[in-house]
Amino acid sequence: KAGVTQTPRYLIKTRGQQVTLSCSPISGHRSVSWYQQTPGQGLQFLFEYFSETQRNKGNFPGRFSGRQFSNSRSEMNVSTLELGDSALYLCASRLQGSNTEAFFGQGTRLTVV
Amino acid sequence: TQLLEQSPQFLSIQEGENLTVYCNSSSVFSSLQWYRQEPGEGPVLLVTVVTGGEVKKLKRLTFQFGDARKDSSLHITAAQPGDTGLYLCAGAGGTANAGGTSYGKLTFGQGTILTVHP
C-alpha cells in the first residue's frame, strides 16, 4: 500500500513569488491536513480538508490556502512568499471521521531566498 | 488554545541506558500519538493511545496515556544507536466548527532530540 506522496521534495523560490505544493494521500484516506515545521516553532497546523471542504484552519495568514480534489489529492498554495515561509511543509493523511491516526508524507522543503 | 509541553528537549545517552520522555498538557485529548522523525523526512507514527491509563508496548518502547488523558510518556529500555532521532508527541481532539466536528488537527509538542552514543 503506497504511503503519502508529496511533490516536489525540494523547492527554492524568491521573495514575492507564489508556490503550489501537492499531496496524494494513502489510498482510501479522505482527510488531508497540512503542517509547517520550522526549528523555532516546531510543527504547526495549517488546515485540514475532508470531502473537498476545508474543515479546520490554523493561525496562518490568508497567503496560505489550500484545496482538495474529488480524488482526495490536495494542494496548498502560498502567495507573496516571505523569507519566514522557509520550512518543511508536511502533509498528513487520515482515514476519515473520528479516527485520528495521521500518516505523514516525506515533506516538501521550501527555501525562500 | 491547546498546548503540549514535551520534556526534555535534548537527551544524549550511552547505548544500553534507559530513558523517559514526557508530554504534558492542561487540555484533554481524545487520543495521543507518538512519532519519530529523522532529518529531512516526515514523522513516522509509532503508536496511538486512546484510553486513559492505557499502556502500549512496542518492543523496547513503552507508551503510557495518563488517566485524565492530559499527559503521556514514552519509555525506552536499553537504548540503541538506531533509536536516535526526534521524538514528537501529538494530541488529537475534536474541534467543533461550522463544517461539523474536525478531528484532523494535531497539536504537537516541541519534540525531544535523542542521541544514543555507541
Side-chain angles (χ1 to χ4, degrees):
Chain A
K1 194 175 187 181
V4 180
T5 304
Q6 289 189 247
T7 56
R9 285 293 310 276
Y10 304 94
L11 210 46
I12 300 175
K13 289 287 188 178
T14 305
R15 272 182 302 174
Q17 287 187 314
Q18 67 103 25
V19 67
T20 299
L21 312 181
S22 178
C23 172
S24 292
I26 293 170
S27 178
H29 284 199
R30 295 171 60 193
S31 167
V32 173
S33 299
W34 290 88
Y35 293 81
Q36 181 195 65
Q37 186 175 28
T38 59
Q41 299 297 318
L43 270 140
Q44 292 189 294
F45 173 76
L46 280 156
F47 27 66
E48 178 201 13
Y49 285 87
F50 179 78
S51 293
E52 302 177 65
T53 303
Q54 187 180 90
R55 302 290 177 154
N56 206 345
K57 191 176 190 308
N59 295 323
F60 278 82
R63 300 185 296 108
F64 292 81
S65 63
R67 58 178 175 168
Q68 186 180 34
F69 302 95
S70 58
N71 61 357
S72 295
R73 190 178 72 85
S74 177
E75 289 180 348
M76 70 162 281
N77 184 278
V78 188
S79 62
T80 320
L81 284 166
E82 301 176 0
L83 295 178
D85 297 332
S86 295
L88 181 66
Y89 288 88
L90 293 159
C91 164
S93 159
R94 281 193 314 119
L95 189 57
Q96 64 182 16
S98 60
N99 183 314
T100 60
E101 286 199 332
F103 299 89
F104 284 83
Q106 291 181 301
T108 294
R109 170 71 63 185
L110 172 64
T111 302
V112 183
V113 297
Chain B
T1 304
Q2 293 180 313
L3 291 173
L4 269 174
E5 298 286 338
Q6 193 172 335
S7 62
Q9 191 175 352
F10 300 96
L11 206 47
S12 180
I13 61 173
Q14 293 297 127
E15 182 176 1
E17 292 184 7
N18 302 332
L19 66 110
T20 302
V21 178
Y22 299 94
C23 191
N24 297 294
S25 175
S26 58
S27 303
V28 176
F29 292 99
S30 60
S31 69
L32 199 137
Q33 295 162 36
W34 284 92
Y35 293 86
R36 178 167 166 262
Q37 185 179 21
E38 300 201 17
E41 302 291 329
V44 175
L45 180 64
L46 295 174
V47 78
T48 299
V49 284
V50 178
T51 307
E54 183 176 6
V55 176
K56 280 191 174 179
K57 292 194 175 186
L58 187 66
K59 297 182 181 178
R60 295 176 293 100
L61 278 59
T62 301
F63 304 86
Q64 188 161 6
F65 202 13
D67 290 340
R69 291 188 291 144
K70 293 182 179 181
D71 55 270
S72 181
S73 64
L74 156 62
H75 182 79
I76 301 179
T77 304
Q80 299 176 0
D83 295 328
T84 294
L86 172 66
Y87 288 82
L88 295 156
C89 62
T95 305
N97 52 53
T101 299
S102 161
Y103 295 91
K105 178 182 178 180
L106 291 176
T107 300
F108 280 86
Q110 284 295 92
T112 296
I113 298 175
L114 170 65
T115 305
V116 183
H117 301 280

